[in-house]
Amino acid sequence: GSKGLSFPPPPPAPDSPAPSSKKSINCHTTAGVPCSPPHSAPPSPSFLGSYQDPYGGSGGSYNSQKERDGLLLGADALESASAVPTNLSALTYQERVEEYHQRYAYMKSWAGLLRILGCVQLLLGATVFACVCAYVHKDNEWYNMYGYSQPQLFGGLGGGVNAYGGYYYTGPKTPFVLVVAGLVWIVTVILVVLGMSLYYRAILLDSSWWPLTECAINLVLAVLYLAAGIVYVRDTTRGGMCNIPVFNNGLNGAFCRTEAGQTAAIIFIFINMVLYFISAGVCLKLWRHEAARMRKEGLAQE
């Protein structure tokens, strides 16, 4: 009968805590060392929500926007992005406006006025060249009929025109006008490009001789345009022979007819001549202005 008896387990010690589960009773290693206590339960959601980070997520949670950026971009990219000021666009715009004013404030001076006049002179010079070239064919017609000699009006009587007014004309001088217009245009391009360079502003304007030299160049160009205008007007009137009724009739009447393009060329030639004289005057103003500036700077340094 001893096999049917069962003995209950001994009661626990009075000072030991009651086991909470069966797992805690048998939680021993093979060496008899008790296991570590179970992990504590995670904090409640209300505790996590008690702190909100600046990016809108909960502290310690992966719902934070900052943590998302850190995972997607990396720490370095996140730090560099956070270091960029929020008013970058406004600062950049203000800096660009200031840089624009510093760069083009030079155009508000006498030297800038010279550059503006130079651009207008280039446009008018190109127009003069185009208008003169458009009627070169009339020169060929003249040479085909009269060659390089004085026209004979009275049955081969040489100097008939001279007998009636003293006019003398041996043919069109259009090549001279074209050469002058082209040469003046090239010199003007050089002056404009040189005036827009830093070398002009930093070195040439500080010299006392350059404004006077530029004035002399503009005077020479104006005189060349004056000569070209006189020659071209004389070509349109065929040396004045078109004022004689005996010559200005029949076939010769076609040579005396002034086309609209020729009239435009004459107008632009003399307008450009005036502009070059104005440029020469501006150079004198620039010379006086720069001389006063250098004297003022010299006194300030002393």
Side-chain angles (χ1 to χ4, degrees):
S2 61
K3 294 182 179 179
L5 296 177
S6 62
F7 298 93
D15 55 347
S16 63
S20 58
S21 63
K22 186 176 180 179
K23 180 178 180 181
S24 64
I25 297 176
N26 299 324
C27 186
H28 289 78
T29 61
T30 56
V33 180
C35 298
S36 61
H39 296 286
S40 61
S44 61
S46 61
F47 178 77
L48 291 176
S50 62
Y51 167 72
Q52 298 289 332
D53 66 1
Y55 295 87
S58 301
S61 67
Y62 282 94
N63 295 326
S64 171
Q65 183 64 31
K66 185 176 181 179
E67 292 172 354
R68 291 182 183 178
D69 295 340
L71 291 175
L72 295 176
L73 302 176
D76 296 337
L78 185 61
E79 290 177 1
S80 62
S82 62
V84 177
T86 56
N87 58 347
L88 177 62
S89 59
L91 291 177
T92 303
Y93 176 75
Q94 294 177 358
E95 291 175 356
R96 289 180 178 177
V97 170
E98 184 178 357
E99 181 184 359
Y100 176 84
H101 287 303
Q102 291 179 354
R103 178 179 298 178
Y104 295 103
Y106 158 77
M107 298 302 294
K108 299 179 182 179
S109 62
W110 291 110
L113 180 58
L114 281 176
R115 305 291 79 79
I116 295 174
L117 287 173
C119 293
V120 177
Q121 290 160 358
L122 289 177
L123 291 176
L124 292 179
T127 305
V128 167
F129 194 87
C131 291
V132 174
C133 286
Y135 296 97
V136 173
H137 65 276
K138 296 184 72 174
D139 298 347
N140 295 329
E141 295 174 0
W142 174 274
Y143 287 122
N144 290 336
M145 181 171 291
Y146 296 110
Y148 294 93
S149 60
Q150 176 81 8
Q152 306 295 322
L153 298 181
F154 304 106
L157 181 61
V161 177
N162 295 332
Y164 289 91
Y167 297 109
Y168 183 77
Y169 183 71
T170 57
K173 302 297 187 295
T174 306
F176 172 77
V177 180
L178 292 176
V179 169
V180 168
L183 178 63
V184 172
W185 196 86
I186 293 174
V187 174
T188 306
V189 168
I190 295 174
L191 290 177
V192 171
V193 173
L194 182 63
M196 297 297 291
S197 64
L198 184 61
Y199 176 78
Y200 181 90
R201 285 174 278 179
I203 297 178
L204 292 180
L205 286 183
D206 290 338
S207 62
S208 59
W209 57 270
W210 173 252
L212 295 177
T213 303
E214 193 171 2
C215 175
I217 293 174
N218 281 283
L219 285 176
V220 171
L221 299 181
V223 171
L224 285 176
Y225 254 108
L226 176 61
I230 294 174
V231 169
Y232 199 66
V233 170
R234 192 169 185 271
D235 269 353
T236 56
T237 61
R238 303 305 170 187
M241 291 190 301
C242 292
N243 299 326
I244 303 175
V246 177
F247 181 82
N248 192 3
N249 59 23
L251 294 177
N252 295 330
F255 296 117
C256 293
R257 186 182 304 112
T258 302
E259 305 292 341
Q262 292 176 304
T263 304
I266 294 172
I267 293 174
F268 290 140
I269 284 174
F270 285 103
I271 290 177
N272 228 6
M273 178 201 69
V274 173
L275 289 180
Y276 280 107
F277 278 120
I278 293 175
S279 296
V282 173
C283 289
L284 293 178
K285 294 290 292 184
L286 175 64
W287 173 61
R288 296 181 59 184
H289 175 77
E290 292 300 319
R293 179 184 63 83
M294 287 187 289
R295 284 197 302 268
K296 185 177 180 180
E297 291 179 355
L299 293 175
Q301 291 178 359
E302 293 177 358

